[in-house]
Structures are given as C-alpha cells and as structure tokens.
C-alpha cells in the first residue's frame, strides 16, 4: 500500500482551478480603470497617480494640498441571502457602496478600490459573478478596481458560502474636507432616498423573515407585485458618489454643503450624531418622508418595536445633507436632476 502524501490539492486548495479563476478577472477589472491607473501587470501592488485626467474625456486634475481618505467595510450577513438565492451579482455593488459612500461624507472623490474575497474552495464561475458586481459598483462610484485578493480557506466556511471585504481610497483638498465643524443652527437637513435596506440589519431581517415569518428566498410576495423575498432583500445599496460630487461642484463644501452623513447601522440618530458639533442637535420630523413598505413588512413579520426599527435601519433615508438654509431649494432641485428623491427632514437646533 502506497504511503499517503499530503498535497495542497488534497488539503482543499486546487492551484489549477485557482489559476482558471484568476484568468477571468483581468478583463473585468480593466473596465474600471481610469487614466490615472498605472499599469503594473503581474506586480505585487496597484499603482495610481494623483495627477492626470480623471476620465478619458475629462479635465486634468491637480491638487494643492491633497489629503488621502480611506474606508473599509464588508457586506455582512446579506451574503447569506445571496447564497441561499444563488444570486451573486449584486453583493459586489453593496461592497463598494459601503466604502465609497463613507468617503464622500468627507467631501472626498473615490480614487481606487481593492477587494478581498474568501471562499472555502475555488469556484471560477462564482468568483467571476462576485467580481463583476464589484466592478459594476466601482464604475458607478468612479473608483478604479486596481487590486484584490482571493483567499481559499478550507474548513473556514461551509460549502457554497464566502465573505467579502473592501477597501477604498479617495482624495480631497485639505481646505475642502467636510468634517461637520461648519454646521450651524438652523441649517436644513435634506434626506436622500435609499434603495431599501442597503447592507445593514440583515441579522434582524433574517430572524424576522425566515425564522419568525417562515418564508424562503423564493416566496412570492403579493404585496410587492409577486416579487420574491430575494428580490426585495437583495436590492443593492445606492451609490451616491456622482450625486454628491455634482453637489460639491455647484455648492461649496463647508459653505453650501456643511455636513454629510451616510445612514447605515444605527439609523439616523447615530449616524447624524457623528458629524454634529457640540451644542447642536438634529430636530427631525419622522413624518416628513414616507417609510418604504419593505420596512413595515419586516416590522410586521418580526413584531419589531418602532424604536428598534429606527435604531437598526435607514428607514428609507440613505444619505443626509446638512445644507445652508438659503440653498435648500437649489440643492433639492439639483438632487431631483440627479433622479434622487429627497425630503426636508428637519433642521439643526441647539441642544
């Protein structure tokens, strides 16, 4: 009887399949490149120049005092729903959105993005679908996908599962960084519509929908024109980059646009609180915008208290702009021109 020999393959990592997976990615990634990406085929890192054209037909960009802005995030347990539904082309958009939407809150323009995909074994088809979504998110967010890592980790994940992490780097002129210090009493709060739950609160959603509601990802929902549970829960996170950059071109940072909050886990109260100066607070009318039906659907299934809903979810508001009062109408018109539904939520008061 031949003596058993340990190999990488019988340990759970097949290098030939890994090579097949990698062959498909360069073409997908290259579609996100901007003129400032510096080619380094086969290198160990991604290179990006701060100078040069922003886009092929755009102007050259030079900074006087550039500050790099970095963000990182994941998708969370929304991935479990993607796996259950075998839909993997939108979670990559979520991955990018969660980081680039944070970067623009500082007034930064995203430059480039890197991804980390962890899987129990190589699956070229699955990886291609995931990275295609990431590339789509990068194009929407104006960030070049200049690098990434695919980690094959046997025994770390169940068959068919995976995890994602993403890393964004952006840039802003030091004088144009938005940090909330310019916010003043009576500034107006404008809420920009979300695309549903985005990527937050999915542990609570899964408990309410699957455990307590007894539904599956394939269950059709008459109240939503017979869309399935997966259709509702896998809507990708809205990417607000182009909208915010358009606003900052038209209305000066820290003058017209005085604060920006990305509404993620913690809801309006926690995320707005992160940018408000001491002595000021947000006065919000919770009846000033329509809560999308999907949130009330989850609330009913899980018998969730109203306070818990507002503490966990965005409740239909994905981004909040703190705006100079005189510019309220102009900012709202600009948002509508970007096809962004929006509402006046309230104002800044002492407290």
């Amino acid at each position: 009887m031949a003596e058993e020999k340990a190999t990488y393959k019988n340990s759970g990592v097949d290098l030939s399949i890994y090579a097949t997976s990698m062959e498909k990615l360069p073409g997908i990634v290259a579609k996100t490149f901007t003129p400032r990406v510096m080619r380094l085929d086969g290198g160990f890192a991604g290179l990006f120049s701060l100078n040069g054209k922003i886009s092929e037909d755009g102007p050259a960009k030079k900074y006087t005092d550039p500050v790099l802005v970095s963000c990182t995030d994941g998708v969370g347990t929304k991935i479990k729903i993607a796996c259950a539904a075998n839909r993997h082309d939108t979670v990559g958009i979520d991955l990018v959105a969660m980081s680039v939407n944070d970067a623009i809150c500082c007034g930064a323009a995203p430059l480039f993005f890197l991804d980390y995909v962890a899987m129990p074994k190589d699956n070229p088809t699955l990886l291609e679908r995931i990275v295609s979504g990431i590339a789509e998110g990068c194009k929407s967010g104006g960030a070049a996908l200049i690098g990434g890592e695919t980690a094959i980790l046997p025994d770390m994940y169940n068959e068919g599962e995976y995890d994602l992490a993403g890393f964004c780097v952006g840039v802003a002129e030091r004088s144009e960084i938005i940090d909330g210090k310019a916010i003043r009493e009576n500034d107006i709060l404008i809420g920009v519509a979300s695309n549903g739950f985005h990527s937050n609160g999915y542990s609570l959603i899964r408990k309410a929908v699957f455990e307590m509601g007894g539904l599956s990802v394939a269950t059709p929902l008459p109240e939503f024109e017979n869309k399935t549970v997966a259709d509702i829960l896998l809507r990708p996170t809205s990417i607000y980059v182009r909208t915010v950059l358009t606003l900052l071109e038209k209305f000066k940072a820290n003058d017209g646009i005085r604060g920006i909050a990305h509404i993620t886990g913690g809801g309006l109260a926690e995320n707005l609180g992160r940018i408000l100066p001491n002595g000021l607070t947000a006065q919000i009318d919770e009846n000033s915008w329509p809560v999308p039906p999907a949130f009330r659907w989850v609330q009913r299934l899980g018998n969730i208290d109203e306070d818990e809903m507002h503490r966990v979810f965005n409740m239909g508001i994905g981004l909040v702009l703190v705006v100079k009062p005189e510019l309220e109408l102009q900012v709202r018109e600009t948002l509508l021109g970007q096809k962004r539904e929006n509402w006046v939520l309230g104002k800044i008061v002492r407290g």
Side-chain angles (χ1 to χ4, degrees), residues 39-53:
R39 294 276 187 164
L40 185 65
D41 295 333
F44 290 93
L47 306 181
F48 193 95
S49 172
L50 280 179
N51 296 322
K53 286 189 173 183

Side-chain angles (χ1 to χ4, degrees), residues 37 66 68 78 94 201 280 301:
V37 174
L68 294 180
K78 188 173 185 176
D94 290 302
L280 296 177
L301 290 174

Side-chain angles (χ1 to χ4, degrees), residues 42-325:
F44 290 93
L47 306 181
F48 193 95
S49 172
L50 280 179
N51 296 322
K53 286 189 173 183
I54 299 174
S55 61
E56 292 293 346
D57 56 353
K61 181 70 175 179
K62 290 188 177 181
Y63 300 91
T64 302
D65 189 6
V67 175
L68 294 180
V69 176
S70 61
C71 304
T72 184
D73 210 334
V75 180
T77 58
K78 188 173 185 176
I79 290 175
K80 293 188 74 68
I81 298 174
C83 290
N86 194 27
R87 296 190 193 179
H88 308 283
D89 54 344
T90 61
V91 287
I93 299 173
D94 290 302
L95 181 68
V96 176
M98 296 306 290
S99 284
V100 297
N101 285 346
D102 280 352
I104 58 174
C105 289
C106 299
L111 296 176
F112 56 85
F113 190 84
L114 298 96
D115 64 63
Y116 174 84
V117 183
M119 313 171 76
K121 69 176 185 178
D122 274 301
N123 185 329
T125 301
L126 175 59
L127 182 63
E128 183 178 8
R129 292 169 68 185
I130 295 169
V131 175
S132 292
I134 295 172
E136 183 177 343
C138 283
K139 287 188 285 186
S140 179
L145 181 58
I146 64 169
E149 172 70 9
T150 302
I152 306 303
L153 306 174
D155 305 323
M156 286 286 287
Y157 303 96
N158 293 325
E159 180 74 22
E161 293 186 347
Y162 57 89
D163 200 7
L164 303 176
F167 313 87
C168 170
V169 173
V171 66
E173 285 285 4
R174 186 183 297 272
S175 62
E176 297 173 1
I177 291 174
I178 301 173
D179 57 10
K181 292 178 181 177
I183 294 174
R184 298 291 181 263
E185 185 180 7
N186 293 320
D187 282 348
I188 302 299
L189 300 169
I190 298 176
V192 185
S194 70
N195 189 29
F197 300 101
H198 285 183
S199 299
N200 301 106
Y202 272 79
S203 294
L204 178 56
I205 290 170
R206 290 187 301 110
K207 181 176 180 65
V209 174
F210 304 125
E211 182 180 326
M212 298 176 68
L215 307 182
S216 76
V217 291
T219 303
L221 302 170
E223 62 266 53
F224 296 106
E225 300 177 336
N226 278 329
K227 291 180 180 177
T228 66
V229 168
D231 292 334
I232 301 301
L233 297 185
L234 290 177
R235 288 174 179 162
T237 305
S238 298
I239 293 178
Y240 299 103
V241 172
R242 299 189 192 283
T243 297
V244 169
L245 294 182
T246 297
L247 288 170
L248 293 178
E249 286 179 6
K250 191 170 183 179
F251 310 102
K252 191 175 179 181
N254 296 313
D255 181 16
I257 307 297
R258 291 174 169 173
I260 306 174
H262 181 203
I263 309 306
T264 54
L268 281 168
E270 182 177 315
N271 289 288
L272 261 176
R274 294 166 65 176
I275 66 170
L276 296 180
N278 291 334
L280 296 177
T281 190
Q283 185 180 75
I284 294 175
D285 178 2
E286 291 183 356
N287 296 312
S288 59
W289 78 96
V291 175
F295 291 89
R296 297 308 184 196
W297 165 68
V298 167
Q299 185 176 20
R300 289 193 302 272
L301 290 174
N303 191 28
I304 304 170
D305 290 340
E306 187 72 7
D307 285 348
E308 182 75 351
M309 291 292 295
H310 284 272
R311 192 168 71 93
V312 175
F313 300 117
N314 66 60
M315 300 302 283
I317 301 296
L319 199 74
V320 175
L321 307 169
V322 185
V323 175
K324 188 177 181 179

Side-chain angles (χ1 to χ4, degrees), residues 303-348:
N303 191 28
I304 304 170
D305 290 340
E306 187 72 7
D307 285 348
E308 182 75 351
M309 291 292 295
H310 284 272
R311 192 168 71 93
V312 175
F313 300 117
N314 66 60
M315 300 302 283
I317 301 296
L319 199 74
V320 175
L321 307 169
V322 185
V323 175
K324 188 177 181 179
E326 297 88 333
L327 296 177
E328 173 192 329
L329 292 179
Q330 295 179 57
V331 170
R332 294 197 66 197
E333 287 174 358
T334 301
L335 287 168
L336 290 174
Q338 294 283 310
K339 297 182 180 180
R340 295 291 188 184
E341 195 171 10
N342 64 91
W343 303 271
V344 174
L345 308 182
K347 63 180 181 179
I348 301 296

